[in-house]
Amino acid sequence: MVIRTEKLCKFYGTEENQIRALDEVSIKVQKGEFIALIGKSGSGKSTLLNMMGGLDNPTAGKIYIGDVEISGMNAEALTKMRRSKIGFIFQNYNLIPVLNVYENIVLPVQLDGKKPDEAYIESILKTLELSSKKTSLPASLSGGQQQRVAIARALANKPEIVLADEPTGNLDAAMGNEVIAMLKQMNEKYNQTIIIVTHDQEIAEQMGRTIRIVDGRAL
Ligand SMILES: Nc1ncnc2c1ncn2[C@@H]1O[C@H](COP(=O)(O)OP(=O)(O)O)[C@@H](O)[C@H]1O
Ligand SMILES: [Mg+2]
């Protein structure tokens, strides 16, 4: 088991205004699974993904990464866990504006105190058609290019777990398919566990398993 949640809850607001973004979600993810997280806008997909990545604290319930309970960990311990185990692809990219493409991509590796595997980084850049953009700043890139940089950054550390929030939302269909194919390849080659939030039924069908979120509950 690589990820497990136990009656995970996230509530916003109080009493009559309370929003139950996650309502007792219990899921189990095995090592090497390739999972699509689907559901309507506002159903709780991003909240669940953020929680599994240790980016947000639950109101109640538990989250385990491997055998380690991360719910209740302090910020420092969570950051350490994230750096060593998780590649996160954010919906809004979160690129660092003063760093160029290459520097953005290798930053998580460096923060984890490691040396980037240059041949591997080159191969990711090539697949994502970013080789010629290595020294460009994020602001000079299109939305799709920025999204691809965010994907490369998440993969740079060869993390055990990749969590991706609508990673193909700003890409055309051909590039979107390339990205999914690349993630699938990574999943097979490195036995990475990959969870992707997607609206795209075609993408979801290519994945090993689908978890549907409805009103904060996992079906
Ligand atoms: N910081 C927040 N404060 C209040 N409500 C929030 C916050 N973040 C998310 N929500 C609410 O929680 C629910 C789930 O949101 P989210 O996980 O972003 O859904 P999805 O990613 O499926 O579109 C929504 O009703 C959303 O408005
Ligand atoms: Mg979302």
Side-chain angles (χ1 to χ4, degrees):
M1 199 86 61
V2 67
I3 305 173
R4 182 158 63 91
T5 71
E6 227 173 65
K7 296 194 170 181
L8 191 63
C9 295
K10 182 68 173 183
F11 302 156
Y12 293 106
T14 50
E15 292 166 12
E16 68 269 26
N17 298 318
Q18 192 178 62
I19 295 169
R20 294 180 167 241
L22 292 179
D23 197 357
E24 300 202 350
V25 172
S26 300
I27 58 171
K28 288 177 180 171
V29 177
Q30 305 289 346
K31 186 166 172 57
E33 275 201 280
F34 193 42
I35 296 177
L37 203 56
I38 62 168
K40 285 187 191 155
S41 178
S43 57
K45 305 180 297 296
S46 294
T47 306
L48 177 58
L49 205 71
N50 290 344
M51 216 75 90
M52 291 191 291
L55 292 167
D56 201 354
N57 291 314
T59 306
K62 292 180 176 173
I63 310 158
Y64 295 87
I65 301 291
D67 295 329
V68 180
E69 188 188 341
I70 66 160
S71 32
M73 265 188 183
N74 65 30
E76 197 185 338
L78 276 176
T79 302
K80 224 172 160 187
M81 182 283 296
R82 248 192 341 264
R83 278 183 188 151
S84 67
K85 289 191 191 301
I86 295 178
F88 209 104
I89 306 172
F90 297 94
Q91 222 168 345
N92 56 359
Y93 324 133
N94 286 2
L95 300 177
I96 299 187
V98 297
L99 298 183
N100 70 31
V101 164
Y102 177 81
E103 292 162 343
N104 262 285
I105 291 170
V106 299
L107 184 65
V109 182
Q110 292 168 338
L111 288 173
D112 196 28
K114 296 190 188 127
K115 280 194 91 144
D117 176 343
E118 297 296 344
Y120 168 74
I121 302 279
E122 287 300 328
S123 77
I124 298 175
L125 285 168
K126 192 156 175 254
T127 307
L128 292 167
E129 294 174 21
L130 289 170
S131 302
S132 65
K133 298 288 178 192
K134 276 174 83 170
T135 57
S136 303
L137 290 175
S140 71
L141 304 177
S142 71
Q145 287 168 335
Q146 291 184 41
Q147 189 152 38
R148 284 180 269 145
V149 175
I151 293 165
R153 179 186 54 187
L155 300 177
N157 225 3
K158 294 182 197 146
E160 260 176 69
I161 300 168
V162 176
L163 303 174
D165 204 344
E166 307 200 31
T168 60
N170 271 302
L171 306 180
D172 63 32
M175 183 48 82
N177 286 334
E178 286 254 354
V179 164
I180 297 299
M182 185 178 71
L183 290 171
K184 196 166 191 174
Q185 228 177 34
M186 308 265 310
N187 162 256
E188 283 161 9
K189 191 165 172 188
Y190 300 108
N191 203 23
Q192 277 174 321
T193 307
I194 303 185
I195 304 180
I196 301 180
V197 172
T198 182
H199 274 114
D200 190 327
Q201 190 58 35
E202 235 175 89
I203 289 176
E205 278 165 13
Q206 295 175 47
M207 322 233 350
R209 172 156 73 111
T210 297
I211 297 174
R212 181 183 293 275
I213 309 293
V214 178
D215 293 337
R217 290 172 176 269
L219 304 185

